[in-house]
Every structure is written in C-alpha cells, then in structure tokens.
Amino acid sequence: MTYSFYSFAISLFIFLVATHLPILSWCSDSGFSVELIHRDSPKSPLYDPDSTPSSRIRVAAERSHSRAIYFRDAIRKARMSSSALPMDEANNFYSEITPNTFEYLMSFYLGTPANKVLAIADTGSDLIWVQCVPCKECYTQSAPLFDPQSSSTYKTIPCNTDSCSLLPQSSCGSSSQCDYQYGYGDKSIVEGYLSTETIAFDSTGGRPVQIPTILFGCTHQSNGTFDKNDAGLVGLGGGKLSLIRQLGSTIGSKFSYCLPSSTETSTTSQLNFGSNAVVSGSNAITTPLISGSPDTFYFLSLEHISVAGKTIAVGNPIQAKESAQGNIIIDSGTTLTLIDDNTLQYVESNVKSSISLPQVQDPNGVFNLCFNVSETGASAQFPEITFQFFGGASVVLQQSNAFVEAGQNILCLAMISSGATADSINIFGNIAQQNFHIGYNLAAMQLTFAPTNCATQ
Ligand SMILES: *[C@@H]1O[C@H](CO)[C@@H](O)[C@H](O)[C@H]1NC(C)=O
Ligand SMILES: *[C@@H]1O[C@H](CO)[C@@H](O)[C@H](O)[C@H]1NC(C)=O
C-alpha cells in the first residue's frame, strides 16, 4: 500500500465519518457481524414482559407447525413441473414465505441518505423487501415507510433483465419496470418493483459496512398476516436473490450464526459474514449442504439419531441427489425440531427408558414426552441425544438443546412429529442449534458446527 493511498484512505474515512452516515469500509477479505434479535427478547418490539417460558414455547410450537407446512408445500410445488399445474395453482407456484412465523429480526440501512429498517431475518426465503411509499393497500407498519423518491441511489430494474427473471413471478409494469408478486401460503400477497439500492449494516465491534448495489423488492401493496413491527424481510436462503448469494464472493459465500440458549433472553445473537463466519477449531464438525429444490432451503443428510448409545437410522429422503440424500432442513426460523413419526417414537421410547423421573402430561398439549423435575430440578440426568449427519458429523445435543420448559418443573422433549414417514419434512430447529457456532459455506456447500458458548461470544 503506498503512502498516498494511505493518506487518501484516511481523509476519505474522515470525510465519511463527518457525514454521520453508516459508511463503508468494505475489503473483500474482511468480515462483518450484525445483531440478530430474537422476537421474544427484551430488545425486540414484539417482547411481551408478561410472557413465561411455557407461554412462549406454546406459541413457538404453533409457529413451528405452520413453518413445517410452508416447507412441505414449497418442496412439493418445486418438485412438480409448473406446466402440469392448473392455472390457479401455477399462479401460487412459489408461496415461499409465511411472514408471521419468523423467530429473528435484524436491522439494516437502506438508501441515501440511509434509513434504518428493522426486518425479519429469514433463512427460509430469498427475496429482500421493504414496504415503500406509496403503499395504498398495505399492512399497517409502525415505522415510516421507505420513500424511494427521497433516496438518490434508488433505481428500478427493467422487466426484460436477468435480475427480473430470478423472481418466481414477475411482469412488465407500465414503465417497463420489473413488477413482482409474491404469494403466501395464506393467500396474502406482496407486490412491488424489483429495485436496487445501497444497503448498509452496523457491524458489531467494527466499522459500518456498506454495499452499493443490492437487489430488493420495493413493496407497494401487501396484505396478510404481517406484524406492524416488521418493515420488511431479509432473505438469507440459498437462492440467487438472497442477501447471502447477492454478497457472494465478497463474503466468500460464507455466513454463520451463534444462537445463545433461549433461557438467556438478555443476550443477543450474532449473524456473521465473510471471514467472521469461518467456523473452525478442534471440535468443529462438517457435513455437506445438499443441493435440493427449491434451492432456497438448506438441506442436510441426517443418517442416525442415537439416544443414550442406542441408534436408529433416519429414513425418508426428501431429495435424492448426489451420494448423500437431503432429508432434513436446517432452519433458524423454526424453534422445535421436527422428525418423522417412526424416528420420533423410537427417540421417545429410548428417552423414556433412560430417565427415571415421573412422566407428566404437557399442560399445553404440545409435547408427547414430559417429566416432572420438581424433585430434581436442573440436576436431573437426561440422556445424551446425538444427531449424526453425513460424513461422520455427530452433533451431540446438550440437555438445553433437546428439552424445554413447558410449565413449572416440567421439562419436555423439544421434538415434535413432522408426520407420517413417507410424507414428512424433517427440520433441525433453533433450540437444537443453540450454543453451536454454525457456519454455512455456499461455495464449498458445507455446513460446520462448533460447540460454543454463544452468550459470551
Ligand atoms: C388483499 O387486498 C386485495 C386488494 O384490496 C384484495 O382484493 C384481496 O382480497 C386481499 N387479500 C386478502 C387475503 O386479504
Ligand atoms: C410433580 O411432583 C410433585 C411432587 O414430587 C407434585 O407435588 C407435583 O404436583 C407434580 N407436578 C405435576 C404437574 O404432576
């Protein structure tokens, strides 16, 4: 680096700081991290101080159910050829997002000057979108809408472009702009213009990061089950329109997160990009990400589950590609882990036989297998449950990854049925993922788990 470049960089930095904008310092070999806010944490606008662990897990279980239905429908639709579908169904071909079933929020800045947006962070979808002015028939949003007219960097995308064709459903607007229509499982919709903007992030423990051009949806019409606290959504899936794939080589196609235990409500999680998302260490284990359809979802191959040393093979390949078969989706937006009936019954009976605690009914009626821990408290001995993924990648679940508090002194196995074995979509949910640093490498198509205390990271 020459001296003159160095002094130029310093004066540029001073200039940028002086403008008070969240401003770049992007080097392709560096990384950045943003805060992930759990919807039930005190930092979230959805936080309910009157909620209890048991009331939170009850609604999280409902969300896990609808999320599983969303995954199942999206996979079924992607497997069918669109020409074979009747017109009505073809129109709903990609109903890929159920916006009310999210778990995490993140904030970012959009436009010039920058507007702060609090949005859903979703590993189960791709499109980034915000609600824009004018929004005539839109869900009510408490934060101001994004006004593209007042941003000097806003541009619409013409409809006859490759970018426009990345959308599952698009058309040519009156000024040849790329109009999108995103349909949802509950028949609500989001419509708007595919556009480009400058996006920026507050990087925790570092300098703000700015990316000059990102494709996003400027939503001008919406209705459905959105929450007034979400101003949009950041798609973190594996498809081409997602934030991850758009950042692409600048982040080495890598992102990671580390979710603290849900009982530690005051700690926040990190979503890391680029070099910050490298997961390594002697206890890190790696398994392939399996290409599947839709490419949005992160498929893994789960071979066995073992409980206290007894092992069952997990059947039901939902995707058959390459040598390993994708039979489970890893998703940060699903709280519980969903396993097919046969496997779940085996896991339950082995957990039951290796625990001497009295069994009780779940007061919420969500879980099949619950124990009364009023005598033993937290010191109760629970069996080790291991998820063995393809390539000898054994993920050993701690008690807090496998059991949740469903009522006072009641601990339940945090796994529910994904349905009959032939028809089910297994999901590795976020309770099971807590206190692992989990790295996604979309270039190498690998996923790495490293046991980590995420609260102190
Ligand atoms: C959404 O709004 C449009 C336009 O007002 C309306 O026709 C449609 O029925 C609405 N859909 C739902 C699910 O409310
Ligand atoms: C759990 O056990 C204690 C006594 O050991 C009992 O008082 C309590 O009612 C039990 N709870 C349930 C939900 O059965």
Side-chain angles (χ1 to χ4, degrees):
M1 196 183 283
T2 66
Y3 178 76
S4 62
F5 175 76
Y6 205 79
S7 54
F8 167 74
I10 288 171
S11 42
L12 179 67
F13 180 67
I14 290 167
F15 164 74
L16 294 173
V17 166
T19 63
H20 295 295
L21 293 174
I23 288 289
L24 103 148
S25 58
W26 185 257
C27 299
S28 60
D29 62 346
S30 71
F32 66 98
S33 301
V34 301
E35 201 175 62
L36 271 183
I37 302 161
H38 191 272
R39 61 183 295 149
D40 295 332
S41 80
K43 281 198 172 179
S44 158
L46 283 82
Y47 176 64
D48 173 5
D50 296 330
S51 69
T52 61
S54 111
S55 70
R56 288 194 291 269
I57 199 70
R58 184 173 48 76
V59 283
E62 283 164 16
R63 291 194 300 270
S64 297
H65 262 298
S66 41
R67 190 112 172 137
I69 291 166
Y70 151 64
F71 280 124
R72 189 199 60 198
D73 290 352
I75 289 168
R76 278 187 189 160
K77 283 168 187 162
R79 276 167 161 186
M80 286 186 249
S81 94
S82 64
S83 58
L85 288 172
M87 195 55 193
D88 252 16
E89 278 205 66
N91 280 340
N92 282 329
F93 190 61
Y94 288 83
S95 46
E96 287 199 357
I97 318 172
T98 45
N100 56 342
T101 64
F102 68 93
E103 297 297 313
Y104 290 95
L105 296 162
M106 63 186 277
S107 54
F108 61 92
Y109 296 88
L110 197 66
T112 312
N115 296 264
K116 194 170 186 173
V117 178
L118 184 66
I120 297 165
D122 186 18
T123 50
S125 66
D126 294 324
L127 185 68
I128 303 164
W129 60 264
V130 301
Q131 288 206 113
C132 288
V133 174
C135 225
K136 265 204 200 145
E137 282 153 0
C138 289
Y139 71 90
T140 311
Q141 176 184 315
S142 43
L145 300 173
F146 179 72
D147 184 359
Q149 301 277 4
S150 68
S151 171
S152 61
T153 40
Y154 176 83
K155 286 193 184 69
T156 55
I157 293 285
C159 56
N160 56 350
T161 54
D162 291 346
S163 299
C164 190
S165 65
L166 294 174
L167 284 158
Q169 240 184 296
S170 62
S171 59
C172 270
S174 52
S175 335
S176 297
Q177 80 276 16
C178 175
D179 279 1
Y180 63 83
Q181 191 182 58
Y182 240 66
Y184 298 91
D186 59 2
K187 294 200 166 59
S188 55
I189 49 163
V190 178
E191 293 180 39
Y193 306 149
L194 188 67
S195 313
T196 58
E197 251 304 5
T198 296
I199 194 169
F201 300 94
D202 272 331
S203 181
T204 53
R207 292 166 297 179
V209 166
Q210 188 189 60
I211 294 104
T213 312
I214 203 98
L215 282 167
F216 80 107
C218 211
T219 291
H220 291 289
Q221 195 179 332
S222 70
N223 55 15
T225 53
F226 301 88
D227 187 276
K228 66 179 191 309
N229 293 297
D230 327 319
L233 189 149
V234 180
L236 301 171
K240 287 204 173 78
L241 284 169
S242 84
L243 179 66
I244 310 303
R245 292 287 300 273
Q246 288 199 60
L247 295 178
S249 58
T250 52
I251 56 166
S253 299
K254 290 188 193 78
F255 77 101
S256 74
Y257 51 74
C258 199
L259 310 174
S261 164
S262 41
T263 56
E264 306 203 44
T265 49
S266 58
T267 60
T268 53
S269 316
Q270 300 287 326
L271 176 63
N272 311 299
F273 299 89
S275 58
N276 290 17
V278 175
V279 179
S280 56
S282 57
N283 54 6
I285 52 163
T286 294
T287 189
L289 284 164
I290 314 287
S291 314
S293 188
D295 60 4
T296 305
F297 304 152
Y298 296 112
F299 294 102
L300 303 176
S301 174
L302 175 63
E303 298 194 313
H304 300 98
I305 298 178
S306 68
V307 181
K310 291 189 180 138
T311 298
I312 184 171
V314 180
N316 186 38
I318 46 178
Q319 313 278 305
K321 291 221 171 138
E322 296 164 23
S323 51
Q325 311 210 304
N327 62 357
I328 190 164
I329 294 168
I330 180 167
D331 179 40
S332 64
T334 309
T335 299
L336 302 176
T337 288
L338 286 93
I339 297 292
D340 72 88
D341 274 344
N342 285 353
T343 311
L344 184 64
Q345 279 168 24
Y346 182 90
V347 170
E348 285 173 350
S349 74
N350 281 291
V351 168
K352 215 185 302 183
S353 61
S354 59
I355 293 182
S356 55
L357 295 167
Q359 220 178 302
V360 286
Q361 292 282 322
D362 173 9
N364 298 315
V366 171
F367 301 103
N368 284 339
L369 188 57
C370 300
F371 299 94
N372 185 342
V373 295
S374 65
E375 300 285 310
T376 51
S379 66
Q381 283 296 306
F382 284 85
E384 196 169 89
I385 301 180
T386 302
F387 276 53
Q388 194 187 311
F389 294 96
F390 183 82
S394 291
V395 174
V396 180
L397 301 184
Q398 302 301 312
Q399 181 180 319
S400 61
N401 294 122
F403 295 89
V404 286
E405 191 181 333
Q408 206 183 3
N409 289 322
I410 297 175
L411 280 190
C412 303
L413 181 69
M415 297 178 196
I416 58 175
S417 169
S418 58
T421 306
D423 193 38
S424 69
I425 303 302
N426 300 323
I427 304 175
F428 195 66
N430 68 40
I431 289 178
Q433 297 176 52
Q434 286 164 9
N435 287 324
F436 288 97
H437 186 195
I438 302 179
Y440 294 67
N441 182 335
L442 305 197
M445 285 301 273
Q446 283 180 337
L447 186 96
T448 302
F449 292 89
T452 304
N453 183 347
C454 298
T456 58
Q457 249 234 326

